[in-house]
Amino acid sequence: EDGIRDSSVTGVQTCALPILVFSMTCYTGALRAGGVTYGLFAQSIREMWIEFAFVFLLVFFGVSRIAPRIALKLLHPRELPQILFTLVVQGLTVSMVVPAVTLFASLLHGGVNPGFFPRWIQLAGQCFPAALILQVFYIGPLVRWLFRLLFRRNEKAAARN
């Protein structure tokens, strides 16, 4: 149960901090533009909010509940280190979020036309590895570290009072 709670909270925390959405907006913008420019960062900040809202709702109301349940069926968390269970949940989360978000973004930015399906599949294929690497190796650990830091300070302050 602790593993489910920790992994779910981590997923929501990561989504609550729009770092991943911003990073992926920069990534897809760079794919479209053929490279990264300073203007891309400002453009990504302006464009990311609709997708951020979609991702937040998707993770908060669905994926953060489904991914831990699937992980529990695949693994026995009491027999594993907590981090392994968390990493599996993060991988499952990315595998559910990327197809949904790229479908949403493909519809939002390109509409439905004869090239829609191949454009969506290509975008999902390009975004999945980047999202997984960012989530597992950079953003997930950063957010876990920040929350540990914040909660330790709150616990110390509460202990003093």
Side-chain angles (χ1 to χ4, degrees):
E1 184 174 308
D2 290 338
I4 292 174
R5 189 186 72 242
D6 181 56
S7 297
S8 298
V9 168
T10 299
V12 172
Q13 290 166 347
T14 301
C15 189
L17 297 172
I19 300 168
L20 185 59
V21 176
F22 172 72
S23 300
M24 292 307 298
T25 304
C26 288
Y27 178 73
T28 56
L31 288 175
R32 282 192 312 268
V36 178
T37 64
Y38 289 114
L40 176 69
F41 296 115
Q43 180 183 353
S44 296
I45 288 174
R46 287 190 305 271
E47 293 180 356
M48 67 180 264
W49 299 106
I50 293 172
E51 290 162 2
F52 171 71
F54 179 78
V55 170
F56 179 81
L57 293 172
L58 181 68
V59 170
F60 187 78
F61 290 111
V63 174
S64 66
R65 290 173 171 81
I66 297 168
R69 288 183 184 156
I70 294 171
L72 274 177
K73 289 182 181 183
L74 298 173
L75 306 168
H76 301 286
R78 300 214 190 288
E79 299 170 9
L80 302 170
Q82 174 64 41
I83 190 65
L84 184 58
F85 186 77
T86 299
L87 291 173
V88 169
V89 171
Q90 286 182 336
L92 289 166
T93 299
V94 170
S95 70
M96 288 183 244
V97 169
V98 167
V101 173
T102 54
L103 176 64
F104 177 77
S106 294
L107 289 170
L108 182 68
H109 299 296
V112 178
N113 57 41
F116 164 76
F117 185 73
R119 186 178 66 243
W120 169 52
I121 295 300
Q122 180 177 350
L123 185 60
Q126 290 171 320
C127 289
F128 181 79
L132 186 63
I133 289 167
L134 283 168
Q135 177 64 27
V136 170
F137 294 110
Y138 298 101
I139 297 169
L142 173 66
V143 170
R144 283 192 300 277
W145 176 78
L146 287 172
F147 274 77
R148 273 195 308 269
L149 186 69
L150 290 172
F151 287 122
R152 280 187 194 146
R153 286 184 181 168
N154 289 343
E155 288 174 5
K156 288 178 183 178
R160 279 186 252 139
N161 293 331

